[in-house]
Amino acid sequence: AVDLLNSLSPEQVDIADLIKLNLRVSKMAKSRGSPEKENMLLRESMERLKPSKWKNYNLSLGVYNAVMASEFNLGNYDRMSAAIDEVLDHTIFLRDKFSAYLHKVKHLSNNLNDYTAGAHEGVKVLNMFSYNIPLQPTKTDMVREKMKLKLALKGRSFASLINLQVIEDPIFELFAQVCRDSLFSGQRRLVMVVAWIAVRRAIQIGFDGYFLQTLVTLGQLQGKKGKLFRLQYSIQAALPFSYS
């Protein structure tokens, strides 16, 4: 039905409704293991949007965020970069730029294999959200962050994290990405500081699926791999299927 509507001229359809329908069906295509169909529908949405793009701010943002993620997953990095530039050039609020910044970080490490640059770019983005993370943490920074984590846990073990609520918070993906990139580039202190801050955020507001990756990385460095891996599986069992 969507393919049929996409074949009609702009005068025959409500453009905003058609774009929303394409976005909805693209998610269905992705969930059914068809990223190429997802991408086709998203690119159709983008083409329909172009004559009046950014007049409908939220719709435009939704389309370009979905496009950049799809192009990244398919390895179409030029198209991904174009979507990133579009978002960074036209969005108003910092939170609306987050996905673009995240995909720039993922591109550095996942596709250019520059883990140091990916980690440092990720830290810069986190600092835009007032985390104040040093690029090269000192022993003093480590002691300070470890004390903050201890105070946040209030004497509880990491196992208590299983009782936190499940939320949707995209910044956890960035935390996980920075931890991974820092680990691969040998920046042990940076891994620890970023992971501890992520744990404190989870204690404050809850966690999502990407938080599991941070726990595993933290467990590998703290020598508590077994305990944190068991906690990981417990948390994963508590997550909705879409997160797992």
Side-chain angles (χ1 to χ4, degrees):
V2 170
D3 289 338
L4 177 61
L5 290 172
N6 284 336
S7 69
L8 299 177
S9 65
E11 296 77 19
Q12 295 176 288
V13 293
D14 184 295
I15 297 299
D17 286 345
L18 179 57
I19 290 173
K20 291 175 184 177
L21 191 58
N22 272 287
L23 287 173
R24 178 182 173 186
V25 179
S26 71
K27 292 179 181 178
M28 295 168 59
K30 181 179 180 180
S31 69
R32 294 176 180 176
S34 182
E36 293 80 10
K37 180 67 175 181
E38 174 204 20
N39 186 261
M40 185 192 75
L41 292 168
L42 290 174
R43 293 193 63 76
E44 175 68 27
S45 297
M46 189 169 64
E47 290 302 315
R48 293 280 184 166
L49 185 69
K50 280 183 178 180
S52 59
K53 63 182 179 181
W54 299 109
K55 290 183 179 179
N56 186 326
Y57 182 85
N58 290 328
L59 184 61
S60 299
L61 179 61
V63 169
Y64 280 102
N65 278 344
V67 166
M68 75 175 70
S70 175
E71 303 294 7
F72 173 81
N73 291 333
L74 291 175
N76 301 326
Y77 304 123
D78 289 341
R79 292 178 178 177
M80 177 201 70
S81 296
I84 288 174
D85 291 341
E86 184 74 25
V87 170
L88 294 179
D89 288 344
H90 292 87
T91 47
I92 301 170
F93 307 107
L94 178 60
R95 66 176 181 271
D96 295 338
K97 301 178 187 293
F98 180 81
S99 186
Y101 285 132
L102 173 63
H103 281 86
K104 288 184 72 173
V105 172
K106 292 169 70 172
H107 181 54
L108 283 170
S109 55
N110 294 25
N111 308 112
L112 301 181
N113 296 320
D114 193 339
Y115 299 112
T116 298
H120 288 180
E121 186 67 24
V123 168
K124 291 176 183 177
V125 177
L126 287 171
N127 288 342
M128 293 179 187
F129 291 84
S130 304
Y131 282 100
N132 300 318
I133 303 169
L135 289 178
Q136 296 181 322
T138 64
K139 289 184 178 179
T140 301
D141 295 322
M142 297 283 288
V143 171
R144 182 185 302 115
E145 290 301 330
K146 190 171 184 178
M147 182 58 66
K148 289 180 180 179
L149 177 60
K150 186 176 181 180
L151 291 172
L153 284 168
K154 297 179 180 178
R156 297 169 295 183
S157 68
F158 277 99
S160 65
L161 299 178
I162 188 62
N163 298 317
L164 300 175
Q165 65 176 339
V166 177
I167 63 168
E168 290 189 12
D169 186 351
I171 205 164
F172 279 113
E173 183 177 0
L174 182 56
F175 276 120
Q177 185 74 38
V178 173
C179 285
R180 194 203 71 156
D181 293 348
S182 301
L183 180 65
F184 288 172
S185 57
Q187 301 175 84
R188 180 186 176 93
R189 288 181 178 175
L190 187 56
V191 177
M192 301 286 279
V193 167
V194 173
W196 288 340
I197 292 173
V199 173
R200 285 199 290 113
R201 181 170 181 80
I203 292 171
Q204 291 172 352
I205 66 169
F207 62 84
D208 75 357
Y210 286 101
F211 183 57
L212 301 177
Q213 298 176 19
T214 301
L215 285 181
V216 171
T217 306
L218 183 60
Q220 290 173 334
L221 293 184
Q222 286 192 322
K224 299 178 181 178
K225 184 175 179 179
K227 291 182 180 179
L228 285 179
F229 264 102
R230 287 194 294 273
L231 176 60
Q232 173 205 358
Y233 290 124
S234 297
I235 290 178
Q236 189 170 18
L239 289 168
F241 178 76
S242 59
Y243 280 97
S244 302

